[in-house]
Amino acid sequence: MSALKERLAQKIEEHRPRTKKLLKEHADVKLGDVTIGQALGGGRGVKMLVTDISYLDPMEGIRFRGYTIPEVLEKLPKSEGAEYPCVESFWWLLITGDIPTQEDSIAVRDEFSTKKIIPQYVIELLLKMPRDTHPMTMFSCAVLAMQRESKFVRHYERGMDKLDYWKPTYDDAIQIIAKLPSIAAYIYRMKYKNDTLIAPDYSLDIGANFAHMMGQKPPYDDLARLYFILHSDHESGNASAHATHLVSSTLADPYYSLSAGLNALAGPLHGLATQEVLRWLIDVIEKLDGVEPTEEIMKKFVWETLNSGQVIPGFGHAVLRKTDPRYYAQREFCLKHLPDDKIFKYVSMLYNVVPDILAEHGKAKNPWPNVDAQSGVIQWHYGIKDFDFYTVMFGVGRALGVLSNIIWDRALLYPLERPKSLTTDMLEDIAKKAK
Ligand code: HAX
């Protein structure tokens, strides 16, 4: 058993009595009431999920295992010469809740490196897909195609004690995470670089190998580390995490579950917003035909978009009520590495004008920018201008969060998810009686 799996086994043994006690002694304690508005409004604010991997406070933003983003970036071990922590050390934190030592982090890297080889049939499948296929479709198909490798399925078919479900779930998750960055880079090189694939370098950490396979030089390796960490998790109620959790709750294996989560991420109200921000900005620049945008000009385009019934991508959030700290973390990277980038300046300009306009428009509960407002511009700066690829990178990061969540779901024996539906007649009846 790997060092991380052993530590996880200990953590699970320590945690299980807590969940058991809550269920046995406090199952009837109320967490809140559900209103008609919430039932018709996508369940916003309904407390019905439990995860310890991350927590999203509307004002403060995300904490991973209790640590804020600046704390994570400061405390986690880094690869030699890197400014940002390696993804491997972050995975240890997500899985165990502990800050790993440099040695722990290297043990994870070794564990991943034996699992990184991508089956040839996956590469061939991707090569055969029409080149106008969206890269998120290619990505999700690649994950689904590997489902035949699932250890969970094999163990389940043989008969397995429920208490052991987490073990092959963990093994499948490690297999997937080890391969995802290379699969993403292959998709990029197939779709946008005429199939000129770059072979992986398994001696590198995840961030550095991804940069290498994308054909990028430092500091892109650090950007990849930052990007994957920031996009990993946002509690378990966001659409990609929830879709993964829901599918996994049927005891479908991690391949089926993650593929479902990636499909949710591909929606424009969720992860696809990262491509939409750049699409929107480039469209503005093209319309201006050489005229330098000013704040006044930006305001006009923002209003035009709103008045035509569309959303301003990269702004607003279902939970957050302040600027997303993931936006700030990427902005810091920009200020250090690309302060004079033209598109970065336009993104900053949007930060100055959009919140006031959204407030005046009066609909969005949160007028502030989310993670997607800032992430595309950095990729653009490093020459990755094919913005429909951005959500694939988001997906590599998101896999870290959703897979650690479903390992713990299985460890704590969370059951099949099955909330109750009502009919509109019933709602009307309840509303009448409440008068
Ligand atoms: N531009 C224009 N209108 C917006 C808006 C925006 N950026 N954000 C919210 N609104 C509108 C909503 O469309 C809604 O309008 P209707 O009443 O006409 O339906 C109204 O304001 C109330 O919405 P809300 O309660 O503030 O927000 P929701 O929880 O319903 O939705 C969204 C949250 C993120 C989907 C929303 O803010 C949005 O569409 N933003 C733009 C797309 C985007 O950036 N998505 C990425 C979010 C981060 C993420 O998940 N990344 O993966």
PDB file of all heavy atoms in Angstrom, residues 223-234:
ATOM      1  N   LEU A 223       2.357  28.137 -13.746  1.00  0.00           N
ATOM      2  CA  LEU A 223       0.978  28.506 -14.049  1.00  0.00           C
ATOM      3  C   LEU A 223       0.092  27.259 -14.007  1.00  0.00           C
ATOM      4  O   LEU A 223      -1.006  27.289 -13.440  1.00  0.00           O
ATOM      5  CB  LEU A 223       0.910  29.168 -15.433  1.00  0.00           C
ATOM      6  CG  LEU A 223      -0.512  29.380 -15.952  1.00  0.00           C
ATOM      7  CD1 LEU A 223      -1.288  30.301 -15.026  1.00  0.00           C
ATOM      8  CD2 LEU A 223      -0.492  29.941 -17.366  1.00  0.00           C
ATOM      9  N   ALA A 224       0.594  26.162 -14.599  1.00  0.00           N
ATOM     10  CA  ALA A 224      -0.197  24.916 -14.608  1.00  0.00           C
ATOM     11  C   ALA A 224      -0.466  24.465 -13.177  1.00  0.00           C
ATOM     12  O   ALA A 224      -1.593  24.078 -12.838  1.00  0.00           O
ATOM     13  CB  ALA A 224       0.539  23.829 -15.392  1.00  0.00           C
ATOM     14  N   ARG A 225       0.559  24.522 -12.324  1.00  0.00           N
ATOM     15  CA  ARG A 225       0.358  24.109 -10.916  1.00  0.00           C
ATOM     16  C   ARG A 225      -0.719  24.972 -10.269  1.00  0.00           C
ATOM     17  O   ARG A 225      -1.651  24.482  -9.643  1.00  0.00           O
ATOM     18  CB  ARG A 225       1.673  24.253 -10.126  1.00  0.00           C
ATOM     19  CG  ARG A 225       2.772  23.315 -10.602  1.00  0.00           C
ATOM     20  CD  ARG A 225       4.069  23.510  -9.817  1.00  0.00           C
ATOM     21  NE  ARG A 225       5.132  22.728 -10.398  1.00  0.00           N
ATOM     22  CZ  ARG A 225       6.158  23.232 -11.099  1.00  0.00           C
ATOM     23  NH1 ARG A 225       6.306  24.541 -11.270  1.00  0.00           N
ATOM     24  NH2 ARG A 225       7.065  22.423 -11.621  1.00  0.00           N
ATOM     25  N   LEU A 226      -0.565  26.295 -10.443  1.00  0.00           N
ATOM     26  CA  LEU A 226      -1.531  27.226  -9.838  1.00  0.00           C
ATOM     27  C   LEU A 226      -2.936  26.965 -10.370  1.00  0.00           C
ATOM     28  O   LEU A 226      -3.911  26.893  -9.616  1.00  0.00           O
ATOM     29  CB  LEU A 226      -1.109  28.675 -10.137  1.00  0.00           C
ATOM     30  CG  LEU A 226      -2.097  29.757  -9.694  1.00  0.00           C
ATOM     31  CD1 LEU A 226      -2.148  29.842  -8.166  1.00  0.00           C
ATOM     32  CD2 LEU A 226      -1.722  31.125 -10.268  1.00  0.00           C
ATOM     33  N   TYR A 227      -3.025  26.808 -11.677  1.00  0.00           N
ATOM     34  CA  TYR A 227      -4.316  26.654 -12.346  1.00  0.00           C
ATOM     35  C   TYR A 227      -5.032  25.390 -11.856  1.00  0.00           C
ATOM     36  O   TYR A 227      -6.216  25.415 -11.516  1.00  0.00           O
ATOM     37  CB  TYR A 227      -4.070  26.576 -13.858  1.00  0.00           C
ATOM     38  CG  TYR A 227      -5.293  26.804 -14.700  1.00  0.00           C
ATOM     39  CD1 TYR A 227      -5.592  28.065 -15.200  1.00  0.00           C
ATOM     40  CD2 TYR A 227      -6.150  25.758 -14.999  1.00  0.00           C
ATOM     41  CE1 TYR A 227      -6.725  28.271 -15.981  1.00  0.00           C
ATOM     42  CE2 TYR A 227      -7.277  25.961 -15.772  1.00  0.00           C
ATOM     43  CZ  TYR A 227      -7.556  27.220 -16.268  1.00  0.00           C
ATOM     44  OH  TYR A 227      -8.673  27.419 -17.024  1.00  0.00           O
ATOM     45  N   PHE A 228      -4.294  24.270 -11.805  1.00  0.00           N
ATOM     46  CA  PHE A 228      -4.927  23.001 -11.388  1.00  0.00           C
ATOM     47  C   PHE A 228      -5.363  23.079  -9.925  1.00  0.00           C
ATOM     48  O   PHE A 228      -6.422  22.585  -9.559  1.00  0.00           O
ATOM     49  CB  PHE A 228      -3.989  21.807 -11.611  1.00  0.00           C
ATOM     50  CG  PHE A 228      -3.654  21.562 -13.069  1.00  0.00           C
ATOM     51  CD1 PHE A 228      -2.455  20.962 -13.446  1.00  0.00           C
ATOM     52  CD2 PHE A 228      -4.552  21.915 -14.074  1.00  0.00           C
ATOM     53  CE1 PHE A 228      -2.153  20.735 -14.786  1.00  0.00           C
ATOM     54  CE2 PHE A 228      -4.258  21.692 -15.421  1.00  0.00           C
ATOM     55  CZ  PHE A 228      -3.048  21.106 -15.774  1.00  0.00           C
ATOM     56  N   ILE A 229      -4.546  23.710  -9.090  1.00  0.00           N
ATOM     57  CA  ILE A 229      -4.900  23.814  -7.663  1.00  0.00           C
ATOM     58  C   ILE A 229      -6.138  24.698  -7.492  1.00  0.00           C
ATOM     59  O   ILE A 229      -7.102  24.322  -6.825  1.00  0.00           O
ATOM     60  CB  ILE A 229      -3.701  24.364  -6.845  1.00  0.00           C
ATOM     61  CG1 ILE A 229      -2.613  23.299  -6.763  1.00  0.00           C
ATOM     62  CG2 ILE A 229      -4.133  24.823  -5.449  1.00  0.00           C
ATOM     63  CD1 ILE A 229      -1.304  23.757  -6.144  1.00  0.00           C
ATOM     64  N   LEU A 230      -6.132  25.861  -8.133  1.00  0.00           N
ATOM     65  CA  LEU A 230      -7.245  26.806  -7.945  1.00  0.00           C
ATOM     66  C   LEU A 230      -8.576  26.243  -8.435  1.00  0.00           C
ATOM     67  O   LEU A 230      -9.624  26.545  -7.885  1.00  0.00           O
ATOM     68  CB  LEU A 230      -6.977  28.116  -8.698  1.00  0.00           C
ATOM     69  CG  LEU A 230      -5.875  29.014  -8.163  1.00  0.00           C
ATOM     70  CD1 LEU A 230      -5.802  30.285  -9.002  1.00  0.00           C
ATOM     71  CD2 LEU A 230      -6.095  29.358  -6.693  1.00  0.00           C
ATOM     72  N   HIS A 231      -8.524  25.443  -9.484  1.00  0.00           N
ATOM     73  CA  HIS A 231      -9.770  24.957 -10.083  1.00  0.00           C
ATOM     74  C   HIS A 231     -10.253  23.632  -9.497  1.00  0.00           C
ATOM     75  O   HIS A 231     -11.257  23.072  -9.951  1.00  0.00           O
ATOM     76  CB  HIS A 231      -9.615  24.811 -11.610  1.00  0.00           C
ATOM     77  CG  HIS A 231      -9.551  26.129 -12.310  1.00  0.00           C
ATOM     78  ND1 HIS A 231      -8.401  26.874 -12.391  1.00  0.00           N
ATOM     79  CD2 HIS A 231     -10.503  26.851 -12.939  1.00  0.00           C
ATOM     80  CE1 HIS A 231      -8.657  27.989 -13.048  1.00  0.00           C
ATOM     81  NE2 HIS A 231      -9.931  28.010 -13.393  1.00  0.00           N
ATOM     82  N   SER A 232      -9.552  23.134  -8.476  1.00  0.00           N
ATOM     83  CA  SER A 232      -9.814  21.764  -8.018  1.00  0.00           C
ATOM     84  C   SER A 232     -11.194  21.574  -7.395  1.00  0.00           C
ATOM     85  O   SER A 232     -11.910  20.651  -7.761  1.00  0.00           O
ATOM     86  CB  SER A 232      -8.742  21.350  -7.016  1.00  0.00           C
ATOM     87  OG  SER A 232      -8.776  22.227  -5.902  1.00  0.00           O
ATOM     88  N   ASP A 233     -11.538  22.421  -6.423  1.00  0.00           N
ATOM     89  CA  ASP A 233     -12.741  22.114  -5.658  1.00  0.00           C
ATOM     90  C   ASP A 233     -13.427  23.389  -5.222  1.00  0.00           C
ATOM     91  O   ASP A 233     -12.769  24.412  -4.993  1.00  0.00           O
ATOM     92  CB  ASP A 233     -12.346  21.281  -4.416  1.00  0.00           C
ATOM     93  CG  ASP A 233     -13.470  20.359  -3.982  1.00  0.00           C
ATOM     94  OD1 ASP A 233     -14.152  19.815  -4.856  1.00  0.00           O
ATOM     95  OD2 ASP A 233     -13.674  20.190  -2.767  1.00  0.00           O
ATOM     96  N   HIS A 234     -14.746  23.332  -5.087  1.00  0.00           N
ATOM     97  CA  HIS A 234     -15.524  24.493  -4.657  1.00  0.00           C
ATOM     98  C   HIS A 234     -16.736  23.981  -3.913  1.00  0.00           C
ATOM     99  O   HIS A 234     -17.864  24.221  -4.309  1.00  0.00           O
ATOM    100  CB  HIS A 234     -15.931  25.327  -5.890  1.00  0.00           C
ATOM    101  CG  HIS A 234     -15.754  26.790  -5.714  1.00  0.00           C
ATOM    102  ND1 HIS A 234     -16.604  27.726  -6.240  1.00  0.00           N
ATOM    103  CD2 HIS A 234     -14.811  27.489  -5.062  1.00  0.00           C
ATOM    104  CE1 HIS A 234     -16.183  28.940  -5.926  1.00  0.00           C
ATOM    105  NE2 HIS A 234     -15.095  28.825  -5.210  1.00  0.00           N
TER     106      HIS A 234
END
